[in-house]
Amino acid sequence: MKRIALLKHLRKHGCYLKREGRSHSLWCNPLTGHSEAIPHHTEISNKLARKICKALSIKDI
């Protein structure tokens, strides 16, 4: 899956960018307080995308 599509999905579910890192971005879900690192790769595996959504407590893609 494309990174842009994952970020759009996260924004749609209320998550926001907490900070940018060198190789990862830290995204946070304000409802639960959970944070998760998103790599800067253009392609992110579907398995990793599901793991990120589960860690942020939002619906899978």
Side-chain angles (χ1 to χ4, degrees), residues 28-51:
C28 183
N29 185 345
L31 300 175
T32 62
H34 292 112
S35 296
E36 188 66 22
I38 313 290
H40 283 214
H41 303 289
T42 54
E43 283 288 328
I44 296 175
S45 70
N46 290 335
K47 187 175 180 180
L48 178 58
R50 282 192 300 274
K51 180 211 169 271

Side-chain angles (χ1 to χ4, degrees), residues 3 11 15-21 24-28:
R3 181 177 191 266
R11 279 190 206 99
C15 297
Y16 66 93
L17 177 66
K18 191 170 187 177
R19 69 174 174 86
E20 281 288 339
H24 290 81
S25 302
L26 196 63
W27 281 74
C28 183

